[in-house]
Amino acid sequence: MTEPAPQILAILGDGALSLDALLDRLARDYELTDGDLTDGDCTNGTRAALAARLAELVESGLVERA
């Protein structure tokens, strides 16, 4: 499994989160500073990439939509 899937699963193991809350946790817990986040808000590209990764995890049966 490639990044950030393990990190996403680790965070979601604590409980369900919205896409924005998950992105905030990833930013905080893994200190994203590579330009994917600006002033605490995600760019459309980062949010879309995270949504796509979550869709892959749902399709694989590793997570469920709430």
Side-chain angles (χ1 to χ4, degrees), residues 9-60:
L9 292 174
I11 290 170
L12 292 178
D14 294 338
L17 293 172
S18 69
L19 181 63
D20 289 331
L22 177 58
L23 189 53
D24 287 344
R25 279 281 304 273
L26 286 167
R28 184 187 74 222
D29 293 356
Y30 298 99
E31 299 178 10
L32 297 180
T33 58
D34 61 358
D36 288 338
L37 301 176
T38 304
D39 298 328
D41 295 326
C42 62
T43 63
N44 288 336
T46 300
R47 190 174 195 282
L50 181 57
R53 182 52 58 117
L54 283 171
E56 292 170 1
L57 293 172
V58 168
E59 187 176 312
S60 70

